[in-house]
């Protein structure tokens, strides 16, 4: 199908690198891997640029491929039988990065412990601000399934936050005057 | 959206990509472009050679089958000629023997 939109690859990288990198980082929990995934996603976009019909289509395509490549990377890691966090610490000797917001950082850590489909749905909901229908289109899944992943993921994350983020609960209780 | 979801939205705000990411993507893109053309020609050449080899092999196989078939046909014809010759010879002998008996 003919389309008038003329994509500028460099501009697309400028506009969407933060989105693609953040999705990959939060899906995998590994900064190095997230950079590799982001590179691969943009190089794949370059190969498919003639099929992209609009700026919105580019954004949709990038989200979809970023989630899909991150899930592939996680599966490859599972096949290799290495625990993600142990590997990062042992092989890269990485220290935990200073967080802008410690609560935010800890919520990210808790998100990494959720099952992959729930993590993807929550990320698209709260990072990308997508509706369940848009998430369903991005993940190529039924809307009911996405809603279920969102509900279960949110419930699980809330429960984990209540256990692991005691100070968060205390702060909230203090703020409420309990 | 409740308070926890608001917290999540704040916690999951997009993170800035590493400053070097864009340059690496563009560098890889530049280095890939000529390679991909080279790969395309290599693939085409490989496909062409393979096609030639396969079609040549097939043609040779067909010709060999025809040659063997023709050789078998010639052998059968030769066998028939020999048999025919032997039968004629026998027939002539029998006829001569019959004439001798009548005399």
């Amino acid at each position: 199908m003919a389309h008038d939109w003329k994509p500028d690859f460099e501009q697309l990288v400028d506009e969407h690198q933060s989105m693609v990198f953040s999705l990959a980082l939060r899906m995998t929990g590994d900064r190095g891997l997230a950079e590799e995934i982001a590179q691969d996603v943009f190089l794949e976009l370059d190969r498919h640029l003639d099929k992209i019909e609009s700026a919105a289509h580019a954004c949709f395509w990038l989200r979809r491929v970023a989630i899909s490549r991150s899930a592939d990377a996680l599966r490859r890691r599972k096949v290799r039988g290495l625990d993600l966090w142990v590997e990062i610490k042992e092989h890269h000797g990485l220290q935990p990065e200073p967080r802008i917001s410690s609560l935010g950082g800890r919520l990210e850590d808790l998100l990494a412990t959720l099952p992959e489909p729930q993590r993807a749905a929550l990320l698209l909901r709260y990072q990308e601000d997508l509706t369940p229908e848009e998430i369903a289109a991005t993940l190529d899944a039924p809307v009911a399934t996405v809603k279920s992943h969102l509900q279960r993921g949110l419930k699980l994350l809330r429960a984990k936050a209540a256990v692991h983020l005691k100070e968060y609960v205390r702060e909230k209780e203090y703020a409420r005057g309990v | 959206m409740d308070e926890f979801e608001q917290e999540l939205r704040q916690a999951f705000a997009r993170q800035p990509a590493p400053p070097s990411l864009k340059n690496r993507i563009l560098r890889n893109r530049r280095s890939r472009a000529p390679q991909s053309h080279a790969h395309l020609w290599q693939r085409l050449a490989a496909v062409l050679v393979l096609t030639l080899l396969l079609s040549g092999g097939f043609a040779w196989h067909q010709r060999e089958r025809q040659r063997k078939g023709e050789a078998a046909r010639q052998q059968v014809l030769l066998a028939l000629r020999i048999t025919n010759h032997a039968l004629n010879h026998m027939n002539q002998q029998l006829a001569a023997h019959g004439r001798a008996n009548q005399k």
Side-chain angles (χ1 to χ4, degrees), chain A residues 80-160:
Chain A
R80 281 165 55 200
L82 284 169
D83 178 71
L84 184 67
W85 298 106
V86 170
E87 191 189 15
I88 294 164
K89 281 175 187 163
E90 287 182 355
H91 294 260
H92 302 288
L94 294 178
Q95 296 299 315
E97 289 174 22
R99 305 283 194 181
I100 298 166
S101 149
S102 64
L103 176 64
R106 291 167 82 177
L107 280 172
E108 281 189 354
D109 291 344
L110 290 179
L111 177 79
T113 65
L114 296 187
E116 182 201 305
Q118 294 177 9
R119 202 182 323 158
L122 286 177
L123 265 181
L124 291 171
R125 180 82 185 99
Y126 297 106
Q127 182 191 299
E128 295 303 309
D129 207 17
L130 299 186
T131 63
E133 288 75 18
E134 288 168 330
I135 297 170
T138 305
L139 299 177
D140 201 14
V143 179
T145 307
V146 168
K147 283 183 177 170
S148 162
H149 286 324
L150 283 172
Q151 279 171 2
R152 287 183 190 183
L154 197 58
K155 192 176 169 188
L156 197 55
L157 199 59
R158 216 187 282 269
K160 282 172 185 265

Side-chain angles (χ1 to χ4, degrees), chain A residues 1-9 12 42-55 57-58 61, chain B residues 29:
Chain A
M1 196 171 73
H3 46 90
D4 296 332
W5 187 64
K6 298 275 176 242
D8 176 350
F9 181 74
L12 285 172
F42 279 108
L43 292 174
E44 197 171 336
L45 173 73
D46 185 37
R47 286 194 291 274
H48 292 84
L49 216 49
D50 55 333
K51 296 186 186 99
I52 304 294
E53 294 169 6
S54 63
H57 185 202
W61 191 95
Chain B
R29 185 195 188 209

Side-chain angles (χ1 to χ4, degrees), chain B residues 25-43:
Chain B
I25 292 168
L26 296 179
R27 201 170 52 235
N28 275 346
R29 185 195 188 209
R30 275 194 295 272
S31 66
R32 246 185 208 198
Q35 267 183 8
S36 63
H37 279 111
H39 281 162
L40 189 69
W41 282 113
Q42 279 175 359
R43 279 183 194 176

Side-chain angles (χ1 to χ4, degrees), chain A residues 9-21 34-49 58 61-62 65-66 69, chain B residues 17 21-22 24-26 28-29 32:
Chain A
F9 181 74
E10 207 172 325
Q11 195 186 335
L12 285 172
V13 175
D14 269 333
E15 281 175 17
H16 300 298
Q17 58 175 339
S18 161
M19 180 258 285
V20 172
F21 174 72
E35 287 184 34
E36 276 177 36
I37 291 168
Q39 272 194 66
D40 289 346
V41 169
F42 279 108
L43 292 174
E44 197 171 336
L45 173 73
D46 185 37
R47 286 194 291 274
H48 292 84
L49 216 49
W61 191 95
L62 284 168
V65 177
R69 292 291 170 277
Chain B
L21 182 64
K22 183 186 166 188
R24 265 182 290 154
I25 292 168
L26 296 179
N28 275 346
R29 185 195 188 209
R32 246 185 208 198

